[in-house]
Amino acid sequence: GIECKDRLAPVVKYSTLRIFLALAGIYSMQAHQLDVESAFIYAPLDEVVYMHPHPAMNIPRGHCIRLLKSLYGLRQSPRNWNMHLHEFITSLGLRRSSLDHCIYQDIVLGSIIILAVFVDDILIASDDVAAISHVKRSFGEKFKIKDMGLAEEFLNIRITQRPGRITIDQEPYVRTILEKYQPYIGIRNYADVPSMSEYIPRDEPPATEKQRQFVQSFPYPEIVGSLLYLSVVTRPDISFAVGVLTHHLKSPTYASCKAACRVLNYLSHHPRVSIVYAGSALDLHAYTDSDWGSDRDTRRSTSGGIVIMAGGLVHWLSKLQPIVTVSSMEAEYIACFFVVQEVVWIRQLLKDLRLERTLPTRVYIDNKSARQLAENPVHHQRSKHIDIKFHWIRDMVAAQTIKLIDVPTDDQRADFLTKTLRGEAFWRHVSALLFVSK
């Protein structure tokens, strides 16, 4: 057959999904879910593809079959399905967002309706049940679908809907992880926070034969992969700890294995941590922070940031910066750059959904020098070397897209994403942002 070069198919971003649910929460929308069964076989196949027939088909020897529809297992099938689904959704009068190609929105039966697409799983949100039913019927006439009613579970995310309030968590997924890796939970004592207090060096050989055998038998990549998914979707409280664990994926050490056990131990005591979207306004704002030179091996700084909408987190980051910085001011400035990037994207997405923000978005920062550098386009000895791309922040400040606001370090909510915080300091920030079930 002909080689298919374009095989990529978009799926809704997790940050977009959280924004979708935040909007549904504060605008009293219901979020319904449907699943298209055997979705790929509906998509036409543009390429010429042949396959050997199954013996039971009783086709003469030497003959083959040419496929007319996409089939599961073909490299181009996800892309073909996405294009076919896009054509159908737009035929209903819905408009695709240019900021996330898996979000569709428009007026249906006089009510706003929003669709979020993840391959063959589709969320539909509206404040009018009749509009949702109309879209479902249209899907049912075109495809064989499974109507799942009010969304309760989507991509291992549990969704709890109440009027004016939507809560998301991953407790069932957490318990699945804990059950799978139960032998490794009791290795550490009770963990009140997910991060190890001591530094975890890279490429440190096990000190004893017992430690070496433990590292060799430890399912490090599998555990870290499971924890990474959690930290990206609903659990920012473990993001910093998981980020440290990912630095050891190629060569786990005994200390990094113990650190992974500590995160599992922490999850066993706090399996349900929820993000809640509620209130009467979007109230979009953000926090940005950095821990200067925190990585002892590379001396790179750790950026931390959160974006809050409708009272709940829609975005967070905890990652090493791409370069070594020469001052805490520079590290904070670069961390602010990454947070502002996300804020600007969210503002554009909201504008695309006809929810344009006219006032600047508040971004809280606890470094006055970094704030002054962003607000005053001057060059001096400490900042003249900073890459020009990071100075884009100045344009956003000048255009009043964002407004940088000083905040005391004790009230810097992104602090737990940049370093190991102990006890009360960790929980002061986490409990202010997330709902932790007892």
Side-chain angles (χ1 to χ4, degrees), residues 92-288:
L92 300 179
L94 297 174
R95 178 180 54 86
R96 182 167 70 178
S97 170
S98 60
L99 280 303
D100 190 321
H101 283 188
C102 291
I103 292 291
Y104 296 82
Q105 180 257 3
D106 219 306
I107 306 296
V108 175
L109 300 181
S111 299
I112 294 178
I113 197 158
I114 309 175
L115 266 65
V117 176
F118 194 98
V119 190
D120 54 1
D121 291 308
I122 300 167
L123 289 178
I124 309 169
S126 178
D127 60 356
D128 185 1
V129 178
I132 295 176
S133 298
H134 172 77
V135 173
K136 286 182 178 179
R137 283 195 301 270
S138 300
F139 268 90
E141 292 169 359
K142 180 72 173 180
F143 311 110
K144 183 179 179 182
I145 66 170
K146 182 179 180 181
D147 185 354
M148 305 172 75
L150 278 174
E152 297 179 348
E153 191 278 331
F154 189 79
L155 306 178
N156 287 318
I157 305 170
R158 183 165 60 183
I159 304 172
T160 305
Q161 303 187 50
R162 300 288 184 270
R165 178 187 178 97
I166 287 183
T167 303
I168 61 173
D169 70 85
Q170 289 183 280
E171 182 183 7
Y173 180 69
V174 170
R175 295 199 181 279
T176 299
I177 294 175
L178 296 176
E179 182 179 352
K180 183 176 181 179
Y181 301 113
Q182 178 64 39
Y184 303 104
I185 295 175
I187 294 177
R188 301 287 298 175
N189 294 326
Y190 170 69
D192 62 334
V193 297
S195 302
M196 298 279 280
S197 58
E198 63 269 22
Y199 165 65
I200 305 176
R202 293 179 174 87
D203 301 324
E204 182 182 57
T208 64
E209 178 63 21
K210 184 177 180 181
Q211 289 184 2
R212 187 184 67 81
Q213 293 178 355
F214 176 75
V215 172
Q216 287 182 342
S217 63
F218 192 82
Y220 193 85
E222 294 83 358
I223 290 177
V224 174
S226 299
L227 297 176
L228 184 61
Y229 176 70
L230 263 180
S231 70
V232 167
V233 182
T234 63
R235 295 297 297 264
D237 54 322
I238 66 171
S239 288
F240 176 76
V242 173
V244 173
L245 295 179
T246 60
H247 302 161
H248 301 263
L249 273 174
K250 290 185 178 179
S251 182
T253 64
Y254 182 68
S256 65
C257 291
K258 289 196 300 180
C261 292
R262 181 183 181 90
V263 179
L264 290 174
N265 195 334
Y266 168 81
L267 289 175
S268 70
H269 292 92
H270 305 285
R272 184 176 184 181
V273 174
S274 309
I275 302 175
V276 181
Y277 303 111
S280 57
L282 283 179
D283 191 24
L284 178 66
H285 60 285
Y287 290 82
T288 173

Side-chain angles (χ1 to χ4, degrees), residues 1-172:
I2 298 175
E3 179 71 14
C4 177
K5 297 181 180 180
D6 195 357
R7 302 168 187 152
L8 297 178
V11 293
V12 66
K13 293 170 55 178
Y14 290 114
S15 56
T16 310
L17 179 61
R18 291 188 290 264
I19 292 170
F20 173 94
L21 294 171
L23 295 177
I26 66 168
Y27 290 121
S28 298
M29 294 180 174
Q30 289 187 12
H32 286 235
Q33 182 179 356
L34 62 84
D35 173 66
V36 180
E37 299 183 7
S38 304
F40 287 2
I41 65 174
Y42 290 102
L45 188 63
D46 296 329
E47 300 81 13
V48 178
V49 178
Y50 296 96
M51 63 176 289
H52 293 291
H54 190 276
M57 297 181 70
N58 197 26
I59 290 179
R61 186 180 182 86
H63 289 70
C64 60
I65 296 173
R66 177 179 175 180
L67 295 180
L68 300 179
K69 295 286 187 178
S70 296
L71 198 66
Y72 284 84
L74 293 181
R75 297 177 181 178
Q76 59 267 48
S77 290
R79 174 75 174 181
N80 289 346
W81 160 246
N82 181 263
M83 295 174 64
H84 183 65
L85 180 63
H86 167 68
E87 292 176 0
F88 168 71
I89 293 177
T90 53
S91 72
L92 300 179
L94 297 174
R95 178 180 54 86
R96 182 167 70 178
S97 170
S98 60
L99 280 303
D100 190 321
H101 283 188
C102 291
I103 292 291
Y104 296 82
Q105 180 257 3
D106 219 306
I107 306 296
V108 175
L109 300 181
S111 299
I112 294 178
I113 197 158
I114 309 175
L115 266 65
V117 176
F118 194 98
V119 190
D120 54 1
D121 291 308
I122 300 167
L123 289 178
I124 309 169
S126 178
D127 60 356
D128 185 1
V129 178
I132 295 176
S133 298
H134 172 77
V135 173
K136 286 182 178 179
R137 283 195 301 270
S138 300
F139 268 90
E141 292 169 359
K142 180 72 173 180
F143 311 110
K144 183 179 179 182
I145 66 170
K146 182 179 180 181
D147 185 354
M148 305 172 75
L150 278 174
E152 297 179 348
E153 191 278 331
F154 189 79
L155 306 178
N156 287 318
I157 305 170
R158 183 165 60 183
I159 304 172
T160 305
Q161 303 187 50
R162 300 288 184 270
R165 178 187 178 97
I166 287 183
T167 303
I168 61 173
D169 70 85
Q170 289 183 280
E171 182 183 7

Side-chain angles (χ1 to χ4, degrees), residues 306-332:
I306 58 175
V307 182
I308 300 171
M309 177 189 292
L313 296 176
V314 293
H315 172 76
W316 55 87
L317 67 90
S318 177
K319 65 177 183 180
L320 286 179
Q321 294 182 354
I323 60 173
V324 176
T325 55
V326 300
S327 67
S328 60
M329 179 273 291
E330 183 183 356
E332 296 275 2

